[in-house]
């Protein structure tokens, strides 16, 4: 198979890596890719949100499968255009992608499918906003209705901060809406469900760390680290979430004539009243994918092609490594507010030659080559360092040992990824 991967982050580097490990894959093209995918695949420039450009690229390379990494191309209709051109694509069409593109739409589908989630009010003006905040009380959960790269949600005890974020969302104008939700407590988990429009195949659970600082302090980010599996998760959780969340949503989307083909990312809070959906995404999560795919032993291209073809029902049960995976994101100085870019990145070649490399790999995200060909940072989340170990403690030790070898002036990372889980401190 020849596979085209759309996107340029560490998630896409993880996808490219897993695809090249699949013996059925002859070649991978990454568009636009990054300096990390360049070592494994052919990088091709593309405007990923231009459906015609992606179709053109897929045709030019006569690919057998397109895997769309990020949400923006899906919301822009890239998967529809590919399928319309007769090209096999793993990723939902624009209508189905609204499960991520509009939080209000996701709530509507969840209500129709009777999926357990937080109670919510959708507000279109200041008066409704104020009323909804007072109805739920603190802690306040305020969500931009539209796509916001993981930064549209504010959870705060401070009513003024909640109000200010809500007003900022509404100030975008047009049909801007803001969603106010009931606060859900309990540990969070992410479950990626591979869907073919009818059948659901869940991957293993992961947990990510959205806040910028240790101890879950500071603003939300696109994700600062992740680990898998979740030894603390209640037995049967995956089956329960498929039965109560993913399958009903896939059935509802099929009933609406907008079948869901791709990853339904179910973000959960494991509350005292049972699992509740916090959010849906319509693609692999970043950085959870880096940890989950490090443990997947089944060939990835075979799985994703089966989903694209509506043949998941016949797919072999997935095989997983018994090891634990920990991913630590190395972020640029100033991330998430205003990342400093163009800073030299050192130590990766030494790391690749080290004994540690047997258990650790480094995935690129915000990296680029400068005019002299040297590797420099080009975005907020620069690298994902992924380590495997016999348990979380060993995987953590290896990941942090590797992170210490990476040179990025002003760079920072969380030091507590998977720490509480490794210590057995998480109770669901
Ligand atoms: P989202 O973009 O919807 O995933 O929200 C980002 C983060 O905000 C989540 O990972 C949670 O940590 C937090 N969050 C979102 N919704 C809620 C909620 N209803 N209750 C508590 N925390 C929430
Ligand atoms: N890990 C969160 C996300 O991918 O949205």
């Amino acid at each position: 198979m020849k596979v085209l991967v759309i996107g340029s982050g560490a998630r896409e580097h993880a996808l490219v890596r897993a695809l090249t490990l699949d013996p059925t894959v002859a070649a991978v093209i990454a568009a636009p890719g990054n300096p990390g995918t360049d070592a494994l695949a052919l990088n091709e420039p593309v405007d990923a949100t231009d459906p015609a450009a992606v179709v053109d690229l897929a045709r030019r390379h006569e690919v057998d499968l397109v895997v769309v990494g990020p949400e923006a191309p899906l919301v822009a209709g890239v998967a529809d255009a590919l399928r319309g051109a007769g090209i096999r694509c793993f990723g939902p069409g624009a209508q189905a992608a609204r499960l991520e593109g509009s939080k209000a739409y996701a709530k509507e589908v969840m209500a129709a499918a009777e999926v357990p989630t937080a109670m919510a009010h959708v507000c279109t003006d200041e008066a409704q906003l104020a009323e909804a905040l007072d109805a739920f009380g603190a802690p306040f959960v305020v969500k931009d209705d539209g796509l916001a790269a993981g930064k549209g949600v504010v959870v705060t005890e401070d009513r003024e901060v909640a109000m200010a974020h809500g007003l900022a969302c509404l100030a975008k104008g047009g049909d801007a809406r803001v969603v106010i939700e009931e606060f859900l407590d309990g540990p969070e988990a992410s479950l990626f469900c591979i869907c073919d429009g009818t059948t659901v195949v869940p991957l293993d659970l992961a947990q990510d760390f959205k806040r910028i600082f240790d101890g879950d302090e500071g603003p939300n980010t696109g994700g600062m680290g992740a680990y898998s599996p979740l030894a603390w998760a209640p037995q049967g959780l995956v089956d329960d979430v498929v039965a109560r969340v993913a399958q009903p949503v896939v059935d509802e989307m099929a009933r609406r004539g907008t079948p869901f083909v791709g990853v339904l990312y179910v973000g959960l809070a494991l509350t005292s009243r049972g699992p509740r959906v916090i959010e849906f995404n319509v693609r692999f999560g970043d950085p959870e994918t880096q940890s989950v795919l490090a443990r997947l032993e089944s060939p990835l291209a075979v799985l994703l092609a089966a989903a694209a073809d509506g043949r998941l029902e016949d797919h072999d049960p997935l095989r997983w490594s018994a090891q634990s995976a920990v991913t630590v994101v190395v972020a640029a100085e100033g991330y998430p507010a205003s990342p400093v870019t163009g800073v030299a990145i050192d130590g990766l070649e030494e790391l690749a030659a080290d004994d540690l490399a047997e258990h650790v790999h480094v995935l690129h995200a915000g990296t680029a080559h400068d005019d002299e060909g040297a590797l420099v940072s080009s975005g907020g989340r620069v690298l994902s360092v992924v380590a495997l170990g016999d348990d979380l403690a060993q995987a953590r030790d290896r990941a942090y040992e590797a992170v210490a070898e990476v040179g990025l002036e002003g760079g920072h990372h969380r030091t507590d990824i998977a720490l509480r889980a490794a210590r057995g401190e998480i109770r669901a």
Side-chain angles (χ1 to χ4, degrees):
M1 253 189 281
K2 214 171 175 187
V3 189
L4 169 61
V5 175
I6 302 296
S8 65
R11 164 186 52 209
E12 286 75 24
H13 190 177
L15 286 164
V16 167
R17 182 177 181 273
L19 289 166
T20 55
L21 294 172
D22 178 336
T24 69
V25 173
V28 180
I29 295 129
N34 63 40
T37 63
D38 193 32
L40 302 170
L42 174 69
N43 280 359
E44 283 275 21
V46 76
D47 175 357
T49 55
D50 177 350
V54 176
V55 168
D56 189 50
L57 182 66
R59 278 213 179 108
R60 217 160 359 109
H61 287 279
E62 300 181 333
V63 302
D64 304 290
L65 174 67
V66 181
V67 179
V68 182
E71 60 277 16
L74 296 167
V75 171
V78 162
D80 304 288
L82 287 163
R83 279 192 280 270
I87 300 164
R88 202 197 231 167
C89 175
F90 180 78
Q95 272 302 319
R98 290 179 68 213
L99 283 175
E100 174 167 356
S102 164
K103 292 194 186 280
Y105 178 73
K107 283 287 178 194
E108 180 201 314
V109 171
M110 282 192 265
E114 296 182 25
V115 167
T117 184
M119 287 185 293
H121 287 305
V122 180
C123 308
T124 52
D125 64 36
E126 184 172 350
Q128 289 176 2
L129 176 61
E131 201 179 318
L133 290 177
D134 293 333
F136 286 126
F140 302 101
V141 181
V142 184
K143 300 188 173 185
D144 194 331
D145 178 50
L147 289 182
K151 292 160 209 154
V153 177
V154 166
V155 180
T156 175
E157 294 282 342
D158 187 333
R159 191 178 181 286
E160 269 176 47
V161 172
M163 194 69 194
H165 182 60
L167 289 175
C169 297
L170 292 176
K172 287 182 177 174
D175 51 7
R177 298 185 287 185
V178 59
V179 179
I180 307 302
E181 280 190 9
E182 156 197 29
F183 178 79
L184 299 173
D185 63 4
E188 288 179 36
S190 306
L191 184 68
F192 302 159
C193 295
I194 308 294
C195 306
D196 70 357
T198 312
T199 301
V200 175
V201 173
L203 302 186
D204 240 353
L205 289 158
Q207 188 179 50
D208 83 340
F209 293 77
K210 290 214 169 90
R211 303 283 189 134
I212 187 73
F213 299 129
D214 282 6
D216 295 328
E217 300 286 338
N220 272 325
T221 70
M224 295 300 290
Y227 66 94
S228 176
L230 308 189
W232 51 266
Q235 247 209 316
L237 179 65
V238 170
D239 291 344
D240 192 34
V241 172
V242 170
R244 293 172 62 199
V245 178
Q247 192 65 58
V249 166
V250 166
D251 293 347
E252 174 66 18
M253 296 307 282
R255 197 188 63 73
R256 291 175 180 224
T258 52
F260 192 90
V261 177
V263 181
L264 181 65
Y265 165 135
V266 183
L268 295 160
L270 305 181
T271 75
S272 51
R273 292 173 298 140
R276 296 280 184 278
V277 173
I278 286 193
E279 63 162 341
F280 287 137
N281 294 315
V282 298
R283 35 96 193 153
F284 285 103
D286 190 340
E288 296 98 311
T289 298
Q290 290 87 305
S291 287
V292 171
L293 292 185
R295 299 184 48 250
L296 180 68
E297 289 181 342
S298 303
L300 182 64
V302 172
L303 174 68
L304 303 186
D309 287 344
R311 293 185 287 105
L312 273 184
E313 205 182 7
D314 303 325
H315 195 275
D316 293 337
L318 299 181
R319 287 177 284 111
W320 294 96
S321 159
Q323 292 209 299
S324 295
V326 170
T327 299
V328 178
V329 170
V330 176
E333 179 178 355
Y335 179 75
S338 43
V340 178
T341 59
V343 179
I345 302 167
D346 309 304
L348 297 191
E349 277 167 30
E350 293 79 350
L351 190 56
D354 197 309
D355 287 347
L356 206 52
E358 197 185 323
H359 312 286
V360 175
H361 58 273
V362 176
L363 301 170
H364 291 233
T367 69
H369 290 297
D370 69 9
D371 293 343
E372 276 89 60
L375 192 68
V376 295
S377 60
S378 64
R381 294 192 297 165
V382 180
L383 299 166
S384 281
V385 176
V386 187
L388 286 164
D390 292 338
D391 54 25
L392 277 181
Q394 190 181 44
R396 261 178 58 76
D397 286 349
R398 286 172 173 163
Y400 281 111
E401 204 183 316
V403 166
E405 289 190 33
V406 175
L408 173 71
E409 209 181 297
H412 60 110
H413 59 270
R414 278 182 65 159
T415 67
D416 64 347
I417 303 301
L419 179 60
R420 292 187 56 232
R423 287 182 177 157
E425 289 174 2
I426 303 185
R427 296 271 173 276

